[in-house]
């Protein structure tokens, strides 16, 4: 099996070449030119070149009877060189017709001349290069949303074109009167305007008309009802005015209204689309596949189709896909995702495994004991769903504003109509004034107030490595008064780090050269703490014990205390994480490790305390350890030794006390609590399922993003409120003018663009100031 | 004022050309990969021979 060759293949790639193992760029003595390439290479290793079986072949779509096309999500692309590498690798095959990688959506599309099975072989080439490929799956919701986005963009283009040309004509109309320009010319201008405006209203207005119609059919009203009414009535009124050789037409107002509102609508769709995209990418990772051993070979089977009694092969570095028992092999298992425990557990034949844990050191075969829907993992997922249903639905600020705005506008405009009729005016004049009220009550500023701020805020956060996964997360996080932190992986980095011991520099060099071959967390930590050239070695890995190598005829061992013959020594400390290095049975050096706090954790906690935010530490780990961390950081409320359910209950209790809770966590055991909290964050090192639950995902080794997000959220929330206030202030000034019939088309146009510009400019203040 | 009979259609046509050009770029997928496009110009021309 390909997995047996791990140590061979890794042995040759630590040779001191001067080229990046991944992209072939020059690198300064290191294996990789950048961390991205190293990560990509590692991801490839994890796949361990399992035969890309018929999954890819079955995904191929025939174009005609001889050519096929395949679309796959590529995981592990980090730099532009990756795009080129993949495209060129595929194009080098004579039968490949086209190959293109979309960096934005991380999708690879290629077509070839031949059978579907050929596509699987081509996909295999990409996997060998070091990328993981996923089935993009059916995502009809995503496709529809993307279509809507395109439709909106087209509608904006048409409305923009029309608005520009109408303005050209309107300025002519405004700057002269019927007497100076001639009545015939004025009518001509009116009719040309109608010619441009009417098709535009019909085409670009559809998003609003459709939504308004749907709302009316359900006997509701929404923001789109007054907008549609205003646009349609303004157009009809203007046609009748033009027909009656009237003085004013409002075509430009109607079209400009559409133009501004469409921009707001588009920005909104984009923000939602971004959030949805990142969510669906996480989902596609989750719906992975497992390697099943059957009588006639090895097959990749989707995890959800696993049944009790199946025999699975789990490569080193792969997640264990199902609850079961080990039938063959010996390895170390990383349970941190379930229990929060940092040290891996040793597992041999007969040990039971849990779905979602990570197989670290050696390939194993396991017999599935529970179908995937009964596994502990699924249990947690179910718990999460219950928690999500329990969490009250948040009503967005914009929706609350709209629910106030709509009746007020309708009543005002109806009152205007009735008032003018009662005054004894003809119905045309009354209607005209009623329509101006509808146009001028500033749906533009309202429609732009939230989306512009949101787009700017999420762009700013993204630059700092913070990803918003739900559109209203920013609004919800602004009101947070209580933060609950998980310990491992959230306040700490979640990985052990070299923290002293007793060793010489050359010991570290030797140990790091050995450790680079292992995926054990302590080995990884050792390698990371050493940045110089490595020695090329032939390594054997002994699961649960350590590594061994022969150097200059001497037997070198790196591993546990007992493996290196220090069992009897008196400097025994069971709680410590350590590695020993021995030569021919004599122990030479000791390396000590600890799970370090995030470097800025204390500063961030302090800053939050200053802001009077209540901070809790909620850990699944032992009380002693939790207390020590809390003491270092100055957190007073500590709850330890909690189960996932208890964590979830704790959050619910806090919420019942009337607090707005932000939960920050990374483990699988945190997922239900994340779902229960008002708003949730997780680091990007978290398990997929946890990232998927969290509203916000942040990258990096710092805790600062939590504070940053809160600050940006506060700022953007106050900007949104200011924008609403500006819109209201403007209305107080403009509505009386409209009600009493003083608004000419020119005033309407100036007021509309003026208010929209003010709102947009105000939103841009978010870009200014600190960071 | 007869000049308007030429100028207005010309203005409209020019605008329409721009609109059609934009719709064409949209349709041909030029906005689908805004992150990848700026990197692609840095690549040498691929020669598959």
């Amino acid at each position: 099996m390909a997995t047996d060759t791990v140590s061979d293949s890794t042995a040759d790639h630590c040779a001191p070449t001067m080229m990046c193992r991944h992209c072939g760029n020059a690198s300064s003595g290191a294996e990789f030119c950048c961390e991205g390439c190293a990560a990509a290479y590692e991801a490839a290793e994890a796949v361990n070149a399992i035969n890309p079986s018929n999954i890819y072949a079955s995904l191929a779509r025939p174009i005609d009877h001889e050519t096929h096309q395949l679309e796959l999500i590529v995981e592990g692309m980090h730099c532009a060189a990756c795009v080129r590498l993949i495209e060129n690798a595929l194009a080098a095959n004579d039968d490949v017709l086209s190959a293109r990688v979309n960096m934005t959506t991380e999708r690879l599309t290629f077509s070839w001349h031949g059978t579907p099975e050929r596509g699987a072989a081509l996909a295999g080439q990409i996997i060998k290069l070091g990328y993981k490929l996923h089935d993009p799956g059916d995502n009809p919701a995503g496709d529809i949303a993307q279509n809507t986005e395109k439709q909106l963009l087209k509608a904006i283009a048409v409305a923009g074109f029309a608005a520009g040309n109408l303005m050209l004509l309107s300025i002519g109309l405004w700057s002269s009167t019927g007497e100076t320009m001639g009545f015939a010319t004025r009518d001509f201008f009116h009719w040309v305007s109608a010619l441009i405006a009417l098709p535009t209203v019909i085409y670009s207005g559809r998003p609003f008309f459709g939504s308004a119609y749907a709302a009316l059919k359900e006997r509701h009203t929404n923001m789109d009802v007054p907008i549609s009414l205003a646009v349609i009535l303004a157009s009809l009124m203007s046609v009748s005015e033009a027909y009656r050789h009237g003085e004013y037409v409002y075509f430009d107002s109607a079209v400009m209204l559409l133009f501004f509102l469409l921009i707001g609508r588009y920005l909104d769709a984009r923000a939602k689309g971004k959030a949805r995209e990142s969510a669906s990418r996480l989902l596609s990772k989750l719906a992975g596949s497992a390697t099943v051993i059957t009588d006639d070979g090895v097959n990749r089977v989707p995890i959800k189709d696993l049944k009790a009694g199946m025999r699975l092969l789990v490569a080193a570095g792969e997640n264990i896909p199902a609850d079961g028992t080990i039938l063959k092999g010996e390895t170390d298992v990383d349970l941190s995702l379930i229990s929060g425990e940092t040290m891996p557990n040793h597992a041999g034949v007969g040990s039971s495994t849990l779905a979602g844990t990570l197989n670290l050191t050696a390939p194993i075969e396991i017999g599935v004991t529970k179908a995937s829907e009964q596994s502990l993992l699924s249990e947690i997922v179910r718990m999460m769903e219950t928690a999500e249903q329990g969490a009250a639905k948040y009503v967005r600020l914009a929706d609350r504003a709209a629910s106030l705005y709509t009746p007020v506008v309708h009543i005002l405009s109806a009152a205007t109509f009735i008032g003018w009729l009662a005054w004894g005016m003809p119905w045309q004049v009354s209607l005209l004034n009623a329509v101006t009220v509808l146009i001028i009550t500033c749906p533009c500023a309202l429609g732009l107030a939230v989306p512009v701020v949101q787009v700017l805020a999420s762009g700013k956060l993204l630059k700092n490595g913070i990803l918003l996964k739900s559109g209203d997360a920013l609004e919800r996080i602004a009101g947070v008064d209580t933060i609950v932190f998980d310990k491992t992986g959230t306040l700490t980095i979640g990985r052990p780090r070299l923290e002293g011991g007793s060793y010489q520099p050359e010991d570290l060099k030797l140990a790091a050269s050995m450790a680079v071959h292992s995926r054990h967390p302590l080995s990884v930590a050792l390698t990371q703490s050493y940045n110089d050239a490595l020695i090329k070695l032939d390594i054997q890995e002994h699961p649960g014990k350590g590594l061994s190598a022969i150097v200059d005829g001497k037997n070198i061992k790196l591993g546990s205390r007992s493996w290196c013959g220090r069992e009897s020594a008196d400097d025994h400390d069971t709680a410590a994480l350590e590695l020993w290095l021995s030569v021919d049975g004599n122990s030479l050096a000791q390396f000590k490790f600890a799970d370090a706090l995030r470097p800025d954790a204390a500063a961030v906690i302090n800053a939050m305390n200053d802001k009077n935010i209540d901070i809790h530490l909620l850990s699944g780990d032992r009380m002693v350890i939790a207390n020590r961390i809390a003491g270092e950081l100055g957190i007073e409320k500590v709850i330890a030794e909690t189960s996932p359910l208890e964590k979830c209950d704790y959050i619910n209790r806090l919420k019942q006390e009337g607090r707005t809770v932000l939960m920050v966590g990374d483990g699988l055991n945190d997922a239900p609590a994340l779902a229960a909290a008002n708003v949730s964050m997780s680091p990007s090192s978290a398990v997929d399922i946890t990232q998927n639950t969290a509203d916000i995902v942040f990258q990096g080794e710092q805790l600062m993003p939590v504070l940053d997000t809160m600050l940006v959220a506060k700022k953007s929330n106050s900007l949104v409120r200011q924008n609403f206030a500006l819109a209201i202030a403007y209305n107080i000034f403009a509505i009386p003018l409209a009600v009493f019939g003083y608004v000419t088309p020119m005033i309407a146009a100036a007021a509309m663009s003026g208010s929209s510009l003010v709102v947009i400019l105000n939103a841009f203040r978010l870009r200014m100031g600190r960071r | 004022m007869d000049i308007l009979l030429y100028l207005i259609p010309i203005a409209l046509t020019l605008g329409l050309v721009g609109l059609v050009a934009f719709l064409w770029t949209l349709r041909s997928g030029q906005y689908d990969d805004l992150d990848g496009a700026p990197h692609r110009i840095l690549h040498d021309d691929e020669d598959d021979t």
Side-chain angles (χ1 to χ4, degrees), chain A residues 510-511 514 542 546-550 554-560 562-565 579-589:
Chain A
L510 183 60
M514 292 179 79
H542 308 268
L547 306 160
S548 69
I550 311 283
K554 286 182 184 140
N555 187 8
I556 315 274
K557 285 177 172 179
L558 176 73
S560 65
S562 58
W563 172 243
C564 292
L579 276 183
W580 287 83
L581 183 71
S582 75
V583 178
D584 282 340
N586 299 318
S587 54
L588 191 66

Side-chain angles (χ1 to χ4, degrees), chain A residues 2-3 5-6 9-10 13 21-23 31-32 35-52 56 74-78 82 85-86 123-134 291 300 315-319 519:
Chain A
T3 48
T5 61
V6 175
S9 66
T10 47
H13 76 72
R21 298 274 316 158
H22 180 60
C23 62
E31 281 182 69
F32 301 103
E35 287 200 354
C37 281
Y41 194 87
E42 218 171 89
E45 285 264 294
V47 174
N48 261 336
I50 283 164
N51 234 357
Y56 299 127
V74 188
E75 193 193 331
M77 278 202 304
H78 294 271
C82 295
L85 187 70
I86 295 175
Q125 291 181 1
I126 304 302
I127 293 177
K128 276 209 190 102
L129 280 177
Y131 303 94
K132 277 190 187 179
L133 297 178
H134 296 292
T291 314
R300 295 292 278 182
E318 215 177 18
N319 279 319
R519 234 177 254 108

Side-chain angles (χ1 to χ4, degrees), chain A residues 87-88 101-104 161, chain B residues 15-16 26 32-33 40 46:
Chain A
E87 288 181 357
N88 285 358
V101 177
N102 185 325
M103 236 175 122
T104 317
F161 156 79
Chain B
L16 263 180
L26 189 66
D32 287 354
D33 185 11
R40 277 178 197 279
E46 286 117 72

Side-chain angles (χ1 to χ4, degrees), chain A residues 296-507:
Chain A
D296 28 282
V298 176
N299 261 327
R300 295 292 278 182
V301 170
I303 288 177
K304 62 180 187 329
D305 294 339
L306 292 179
K307 298 271 174 334
M310 280 179 164
R311 217 179 150 87
L312 306 178
L313 180 76
V314 185
E318 215 177 18
N319 279 319
I320 296 175
D323 291 4
T325 44
I326 298 184
L327 301 175
K328 207 168 132 190
E330 209 180 327
T331 187
D332 292 308
V333 180
D334 182 353
L335 293 174
S336 61
L337 305 181
I338 305 264
S339 67
E341 179 91 18
T342 341
M343 259 323 268
N345 274 21
H346 181 239
V349 174
S351 314
S352 58
T353 60
L354 292 172
T357 55
L358 185 66
N359 175 23
L360 285 170
T361 35
I364 48 169
E365 281 181 33
I366 64 170
V368 181
T369 50
K370 280 182 187 165
S372 60
E373 65 264 23
Q374 294 157 356
S375 68
L376 180 65
L377 186 72
S378 312
E379 194 91 339
I380 289 182
V381 172
R382 257 196 301 280
M383 227 183 308
M384 240 164 61
E385 279 164 1
T386 336
E388 252 163 19
Q389 281 162 8
K393 252 196 153 299
Y394 178 82
V395 185
R396 294 181 60 164
L397 193 60
D399 294 336
R400 273 180 285 167
S403 67
L404 277 176
Y405 162 85
T406 325
V408 168
V409 167
H410 281 150
I411 290 167
L412 263 178
S413 124
T416 311
F417 182 67
I418 294 166
W420 280 84
L421 268 188
W423 195 254
M425 285 292 165
W427 66 269
Q428 290 98 331
V429 177
S430 316
L431 190 57
L432 186 68
N433 286 321
V435 172
T436 17
V437 171
L438 276 181
I439 296 181
I440 212 159
T441 35
C442 190
C444 288
L446 276 181
L448 288 170
V450 179
V452 175
V453 173
Q454 195 156 44
V455 164
L456 288 175
S458 61
K460 183 177 168 137
L461 288 174
L462 199 63
K463 269 189 200 146
N464 294 334
I466 302 164
L467 196 70
L468 294 180
K469 276 185 47 231
S470 70
D472 50 5
L474 215 50
E475 256 177 72
R476 284 183 280 151
I477 205 171
V480 162
D481 53 17
T482 308
I483 306 184
V484 180
F485 283 104
D486 171 47
K487 185 181 69 65
T488 320
T490 306
L491 288 177
T492 69
I493 291 169
R495 292 188 310 269
R497 282 191 157 187
L498 185 60
E499 299 249 304
S502 56
Y503 56 88
Q504 301 300 314
E506 52 266 35
D507 298 340

Side-chain angles (χ1 to χ4, degrees), chain A residues 380-381 383-384 387-388 644-645 648 667-677 693:
Chain A
I380 289 182
V381 172
M383 227 183 308
M384 240 164 61
E388 252 163 19
L645 190 63
C648 187
L668 197 54
N669 51 354
D670 299 318
L674 289 171
T693 315

Side-chain angles (χ1 to χ4, degrees), chain A residues 174 248 250 252-253 256 436 439-440 730 733-734 737-738 741-755:
Chain A
W174 297 339
Y248 296 133
Y250 288 83
D252 59 311
S253 298
M256 208 158 54
T436 17
I439 296 181
I440 212 159
Y730 150 89
F733 175 74
L737 285 182
Y742 290 114
V743 173
T744 62
M746 185 168 74
I747 294 179
M752 210 142 52
S753 8
S755 66

